[in-house]
């Protein structure tokens, strides 16, 4: 990677189209630091920046949408490898396993999608670059 690919930050944009406001259930900084919004209004988006540290910008967030369905979004922006995105849609009450999320993120490409019942999630991140944008959607 060139010096322009050295992780600086990841810009996160999460769009909510589930019919209800989405509430944050959990957040994980594996590398870097950010602060996702507590709530994302239906039809709106929640935006935040995770600033990288020496290990890069790697994180995940879980939002709860309509009827308790959960949407996991995770991103990885680090030296040497291409940027990665991961998403998983869960049934109400399913356990959130951060170790499994990080493992699956490490096996993903720069796009990901999933669905449960009639709800879906998708995510993508710029494949390269030190300040990529990660865009995700909750749909219902």
């Amino acid at each position: 990677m060139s010096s322009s690919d050295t992780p600086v930050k990841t810009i996160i944009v999460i769009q909510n189209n589930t019919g209800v406001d989405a509430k944050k259930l959990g957040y994980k900084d594996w590398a870097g630091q950010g602060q996702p919004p507590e709530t994302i209004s239906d039809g709106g988006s929640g935006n935040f920046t995770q600033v990288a540290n020496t290990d890069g910008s790697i994180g995940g967030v879980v939002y709860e949408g309509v009827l308790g369905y959960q949407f996991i979004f995770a991103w990885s922006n680090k030296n040497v490898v291409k940027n990665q995105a991961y998403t998983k849609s869960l049934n109400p009450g399913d356990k959130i396993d951060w170790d499994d999320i990080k493992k699956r993120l490490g096996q993903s490409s720069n796009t990901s999608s999933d669905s449960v019942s009639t709800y879906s999630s998708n995510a993508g991140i710029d494949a390269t670059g030190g300040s990529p944008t990660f865009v995700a959607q909750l749909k219902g």
Side-chain angles (χ1 to χ4, degrees):
M1 294 183 113
S2 69
S3 61
S4 64
D5 290 339
T6 300
V8 174
K9 64 184 175 186
T10 303
I11 300 162
I12 294 99
V13 178
I14 302 174
Q15 301 163 343
N16 176 19
N17 296 300
T18 61
V20 300
D21 292 352
K23 297 178 184 175
K24 184 178 75 172
L25 294 180
Y27 176 67
K28 189 77 168 178
D29 282 319
W30 287 293
Q33 187 173 9
Q35 185 59 49
E38 293 295 320
T39 303
I40 303 173
S41 298
D42 179 45
S45 65
N47 307 328
F48 69 102
T49 299
Q50 186 190 48
V51 178
N53 63 19
T54 56
D55 293 323
S57 167
I58 307 166
V61 64
V62 180
Y63 282 95
E64 179 182 74
V66 68
L67 300 174
Y69 285 94
Q70 302 170 65
F71 303 91
I72 298 168
F73 299 105
W75 56 91
S76 176
N77 166 17
K78 60 184 181 177
N79 269 326
V80 185
V81 298
K82 290 190 177 190
N83 298 330
Q84 297 167 294
Y86 174 73
T87 187
K88 180 77 176 164
S89 302
L90 299 174
N91 285 302
D94 282 355
K95 183 177 186 270
I96 299 164
D97 183 342
W98 289 111
D99 291 334
D100 185 61
I101 294 166
K102 188 175 181 188
K103 176 184 171 188
R104 291 178 186 274
L105 173 63
Q107 298 168 345
S108 68
S109 68
N110 70 312
T111 61
S112 179
S113 63
D114 194 40
S115 63
V116 60
S117 185
T118 60
Y119 306 99
S120 64
S121 58
N122 59 58
I125 190 170
D126 299 331
T128 60
S131 297
T133 299
F134 173 90
V135 178
Q137 294 180 324
L138 299 77
K139 297 180 189 175

